[in-house]
């Protein structure tokens, strides 16, 4: 049986990818950001996940306004880094896990969540920056990745509640897979930021840290926070944080049928700024 | 019965909803086309001619030519799409975001280094700081 061993949460700022790719990680501005991921890099070497289920949002890259899936699961064998307007990032291609992804799609759709199945897409910084932050600059990513894209660009976007419930359905799907795989689920995007209009640059440290507290201790309560609170308090693009509730919902302590113990907080990090945003990062291990 | 849009009273913020998406469809699809190097080259060579290939409104075309991102947003543009114009111009996301705030690039960068724009006074339109 496949098991979810841990959840990893991180921002996915494009400028972080640019800093890595252009060799700026030693600059004073970037040092504290990358230092926040030293623990994750070491920890991943010990954890050796077989598969990462990576929840992210596409930033008008694979999905234009021609089609806007609310939830899309990648079932392809591989994914190329996208050209977002300045050429593709010089990072390895992403190897998928088509068999597990198809199994999850089958299970989750039968559990009443409407997923779009994607057999071809390029992946943007939303997916590749978290991989770089956590696995470092490598010649090949250490394990297959199942991309799971969430629409947080065009409103209405899915509620925190729906994301949390979806996480539960994903956990159930993964645990019903016959091979003994060590699966990690990552929630990416956020924390507070606004990229548009005269209010651009909004950062709310207090709200972000309260979000992290509740994500750890009261995810059910957190899942009931309405969208408008994210917009008002964390900026229009702070809405990306709903994706963290998918990863959190997949943890065993919120499993209704076979409840596990509270997760262990292995690492917590928060920093302002990276470009226009706050950076948040959290690692929870299942118990 | 009108739809619930509780986000209309957030200052300096336009939420990209289905109505904005409808209005900005061609503007945003033009932006998407800039993900291809050959299209970026064609756009740079003659911006007006390239824009004329898209069924955008004259206002939308002018807003792009002026690089007036606030105007683009008011006409249905979405920042993640508009970012492709900035990328084509060689601008960072921070330069693009800063350009919409009425601050200089340096002022905006300094504000971010100091912890960003405070939420105090910025939650509701007309709120006193």
């Amino acid at each position: 049986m496949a098991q979810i061993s841990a959840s990893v949460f991180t921002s996915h700022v494009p400028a972080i990818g640019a800093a890595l790719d252009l060799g700026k990680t030693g600059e004073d501005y970037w040092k504290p950001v990358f230092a926040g991921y030293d623990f994750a890099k070491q920890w991943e070497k010990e954890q050796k996940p077989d598969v990462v289920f990576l929840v992210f949002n596409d930033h008008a890259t694979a999905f234009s306004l021609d089609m806007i899936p609310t939830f899309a699961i990648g079932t392809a064998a591989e994914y190329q880094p996208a050209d977002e307007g300045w050429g593709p990032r010089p990072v390895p291609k992403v190897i998928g896990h088509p068999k597990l992804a198809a199994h999850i799609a089958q299970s989750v759709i039968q559990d009443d969540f409407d997923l779009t199945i994607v057999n071809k897409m390029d992946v943007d910084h939303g997916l590749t920056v978290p991989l770089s932050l956590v696995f470092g600059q490598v010649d090949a990513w250490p394990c297959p990745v199942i991309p799971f894209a969430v629409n947080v660009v065009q409103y209405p976007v899915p509620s925190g509640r729906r994301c949390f419930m979806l996480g539960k359905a994903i956990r159930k799907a993964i645990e019903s897979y016959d091979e003994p795989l060590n699966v990690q689920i990552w929630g990416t995007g956020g924390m507070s930021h606004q990229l548009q209009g005269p209010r651009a640059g909004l950062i709310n440290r207090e709200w972000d840290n309260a979000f992290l507290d509740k994500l750890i201790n009261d995810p059910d309560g957190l899942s009931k926070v309405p969208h408008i609170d994210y917009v008002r308090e964390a900026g229009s693009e702070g809405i990306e944080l709903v994706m963290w509730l998918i990863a959190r919902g997949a943890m065993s302590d919120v499993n209704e049928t076979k409840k596990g113990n509270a997760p262990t907080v292995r690492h917590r990090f928060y920093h302002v700024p990276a470009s226009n945003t706050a950076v948040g990062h959290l690692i929870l291990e299942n118990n | 019965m009108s739809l619930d849009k509780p986000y209309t009273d957030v200052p300096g913020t336009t939420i990209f909803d289905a109505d904005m998406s409808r209005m900005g469809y061609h503007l945003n699809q033009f932006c998407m086309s800039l993900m291809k190097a050959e299209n970026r080259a064609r756009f740079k060579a003659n911006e007006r001619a390239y824009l004329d290939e898209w069924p955008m409104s004259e206002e939308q075309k002018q807003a792009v030519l002026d690089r007036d991102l606030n105007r683009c947003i008011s006409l249905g543009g979405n920042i993640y799409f508009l970012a492709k114009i900035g990328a084509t111009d060689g601008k960072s996301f921070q330069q693009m975001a800063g350009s919409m705030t009425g601050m200089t690039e340096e002022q905006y960068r300094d504000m971010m280094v100091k912890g960003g724009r405070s939420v105090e006074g910025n939650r509701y339109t007309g709120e006193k700081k």
Side-chain angles (χ1 to χ4, degrees):
Chain A
M1 291 260 284
Q3 293 289 335
I4 294 176
S5 56
S7 51
V8 176
F9 306 84
T10 178
S11 307
H12 60 208
V13 190
I16 290 177
L20 275 164
D21 302 339
L22 301 172
K24 293 182 179 175
T25 55
E27 290 182 3
D28 288 345
Y29 184 92
W30 289 109
K31 268 187 196 164
V33 174
F34 291 106
Y37 292 84
D38 287 345
F39 176 87
K41 290 195 189 86
Q42 192 54 44
W43 176 81
E44 285 291 358
K45 281 179 189 151
E46 294 155 14
Q47 296 293 310
K48 297 189 181 70
D50 297 308
V51 183
V52 166
F53 186 94
L54 201 158
V55 182
F56 74 112
N57 67 293
D58 179 79
H59 302 76
T61 303
F63 306 119
S64 70
L65 294 185
D66 282 343
M67 277 179 273
I68 306 152
T70 299
F71 300 114
I73 186 166
T75 49
E78 59 180 59
Y79 309 88
Q80 297 295 333
D83 180 347
E84 296 178 57
W86 57 88
R89 285 194 65 210
V91 293
K93 69 181 176 188
V94 174
I95 304 299
H97 197 306
K99 201 174 155 206
L100 176 59
H103 171 90
I104 293 169
Q106 178 83 14
S107 174
V108 168
I109 292 169
Q110 286 183 334
D111 249 343
D112 294 340
F113 290 90
D114 305 316
L115 311 188
T116 297
I117 290 173
V118 181
N119 286 306
K120 181 173 165 55
M121 71 171 162
D122 289 348
V123 287
D124 70 17
H125 72 269
L127 185 126
T128 63
V129 166
L131 290 176
S132 295
L133 279 169
V134 173
F135 290 135
Q137 287 170 293
V138 292
D139 294 329
W141 302 119
C143 67
V145 175
I146 297 175
F148 191 86
V150 180
N151 167 43
V152 287
V153 173
Q154 180 182 307
Y155 276 66
V157 305
S159 68
R161 190 73 190 154
R162 184 158 163 80
C163 288
F164 189 58
M165 301 307 284
L166 172 59
K168 294 184 183 192
I170 291 167
R171 181 201 52 73
K172 186 175 146 194
I174 289 171
E175 289 184 352
S176 69
Y177 190 71
D178 278 339
E179 286 175 53
L181 298 175
N182 169 13
V183 181
Q184 288 183 359
I185 183 162
W186 295 12
T188 76
M191 303 201 76
S192 63
H193 62 308
Q194 175 151 341
L195 304 173
Q196 53 128 342
R199 202 174 77 137
L202 193 90
I203 299 287
N204 190 343
R205 277 177 177 269
E206 204 178 348
W207 200 86
D208 285 346
N209 280 290
F211 182 94
L212 289 169
D213 290 342
K214 285 190 91 172
L215 190 73
I216 296 165
N217 298 318
D218 181 22
D220 188 68
L222 184 62
S223 75
K224 292 168 186 158
V225 171
H227 287 146
I228 186 64
D229 289 16
Y230 288 81
V231 175
R232 246 186 250 297
E233 299 290 337
S236 49
E237 281 66 48
I239 192 65
E240 290 181 352
L241 283 169
V242 296
M243 295 188 289
W244 292 28
L245 284 159
I246 297 178
R248 187 64 183 89
M251 298 296 282
S252 61
D253 67 317
V254 294
N255 180 357
E256 281 137 23
T257 51
K258 195 177 143 209
K259 200 170 165 67
N261 293 318
T264 302
V265 181
R266 288 306 305 272
H267 187 60
R268 177 171 170 166
F269 171 67
Y270 184 77
H271 174 78
V272 176
S275 188
N276 300 285
T277 88
V279 175
H281 172 42
L282 189 65
I283 297 177
L284 301 180
E285 280 179 9
N286 252 335
N287 288 311
Chain B
M1 200 180 97
S2 64
L3 294 168
D4 189 24
K5 291 190 174 187
Y7 42 74
T8 53
D9 67 347
V10 182
T13 303
T14 306
I15 294 299
F16 187 71
D17 60 16
D19 281 331
M20 296 308 287
S21 178
R22 173 178 55 74
M23 196 196 306
Y25 176 66
H26 293 294
L27 167 59
N28 290 313
Q29 294 303 90
F30 144 73
C31 294
M32 286 297 286
S33 76
L34 299 177
M35 288 173 68
K36 291 199 169 110
E38 65 263 32
N39 289 342
R40 293 197 285 273
R42 283 181 54 228
F43 174 64
K44 280 188 200 175
N46 188 338
E47 295 192 2
R48 179 78 222 188
Y50 190 83
L51 285 168
D52 283 341
E53 293 174 19
W54 296 85
M56 292 158 57
S57 71
E58 186 53 36
E59 277 179 298
Q60 288 172 329
K61 290 177 191 174
Q62 195 57 49
V64 171
L65 292 169
D66 295 342
R67 300 297 193 270
D68 184 342
L69 297 184
N70 283 330
R71 185 90 185 113
C72 287
I73 286 171
S74 74
L75 297 170
N78 171 278
I79 190 59
Y80 288 126
F81 290 80
L82 297 171
K84 321 288 185 200
I85 303 173
T88 301
D89 289 338
K91 289 221 168 11
S92 71
F93 224 121
Q94 187 170 74
Q95 287 170 315
M96 283 181 260
S99 78
M100 293 179 273
T101 62
M103 304 168 90
T104 66
E105 189 182 335
E106 193 182 16
Q107 285 168 338
Y108 182 80
R109 195 174 56 235
D110 288 350
M111 176 181 80
M112 295 317 297
V113 169
K114 287 177 185 147
R117 182 185 305 282
S118 172
V119 73
E120 297 309 324
N122 276 311
R123 291 182 176 92
Y124 297 88
T125 44
E127 193 183 4
K128 288 268 188 296
K129 290 190 188 182

